[in-house]
Amino acid sequence: MGRNRSGVLELAVLGLLNGTPMHGYELRKRLYTVLGAFRALSYGSLYPCLHELQAAGLITEDEPEPAPAPAGTARARAGRRSLKVYRLTADGKERLAELLGEGGPAAWEDDGFGVHFAFFGQTRADVRLRILEGRRSRLEERTEAIRAAFSRTMGRVDSYTLELHRHGLESVEREVRWLNELIASERQSGGHDNISEKESS
């Protein structure tokens, strides 16, 4: 894994474990279901990441008693392997706060933005706004690049390729509009969790 992808996975794991301790399989499921933009990550990277975080003292593992199997079954006779439950340490909580405080370009890019956004509820308001504005700026640059490419290729490619360019442009423009709404909401809320307020109303 590249350095940026490794940092994104570290943030995702620490952020999820901050909510509740989990065993590895449950953590895999949470990564898949909660972090939609993160699904492309190879889950073969998860366990090496867990070992690295544990070696660094950021997480620890408990080995709970295995659940009892019905008496007399082959499984009961052989015994059941317990699942390791991972939890954050105090150092892990400090590291998570450090990662959540990073609002630079790595948090704006495709690999990092979705994961940072998933933990906006744990992120300071000024960092949230900086990430949103950075992402918008990056997408506006991408929009101009797509438009320029569209203009250059028009008349030289078939209609399907043109539709593909148009689809890409519309997707980026749609995300920019979404970001504009989020940025306006963040500014209006004055640092409060405006999204949560809307959902609870």
Side-chain angles (χ1 to χ4, degrees), residues 9-84:
L9 180 55
E10 179 186 8
L11 170 59
V13 170
L14 295 179
L16 287 174
L17 291 179
N18 191 45
T20 181
M22 297 181 214
H23 55 73
Y25 177 69
E26 184 180 5
L27 190 53
R28 280 183 58 182
K29 290 197 300 181
R30 290 275 289 166
L31 284 169
Y32 185 83
T33 58
V34 175
L35 307 177
F38 202 53
R39 292 177 186 175
L41 180 80
S42 168
Y43 289 114
S45 305
L46 174 58
Y47 290 99
C49 177
L50 290 172
H51 293 318
E52 290 175 8
L53 294 176
Q54 188 175 358
L58 303 180
I59 65 173
T60 187
E61 66 180 33
D62 300 329
E63 294 197 25
E65 291 295 323
T73 64
R75 181 173 291 179
R77 288 192 297 271
R80 298 185 66 186
R81 185 177 180 182
S82 59
L83 294 172
K84 296 177 181 179

Side-chain angles (χ1 to χ4, degrees), residues 6 10 18 21 32 77 87 90 96 104 127 154 190:
S6 179
E10 179 186 8
N18 191 45
Y32 185 83
R77 288 192 297 271
R87 66 179 68 248
L96 175 60
V127 178
M154 188 176 296

Side-chain angles (χ1 to χ4, degrees), residues 32 51 64 96 101 106 121 133 136 146 149 156 161 181 192:
Y32 185 83
H51 293 318
L96 175 60
E133 290 177 336
R136 179 177 64 181
I146 295 174
R156 293 188 294 167
T161 303
E181 293 174 0
H192 299 294

Side-chain angles (χ1 to χ4, degrees), residues 21 23 58 99 121 127 135 149 162 178 180:
H23 55 73
L58 303 180
L99 291 171
V127 178
R135 177 66 175 173
L162 287 176
W178 174 68
N180 284 336

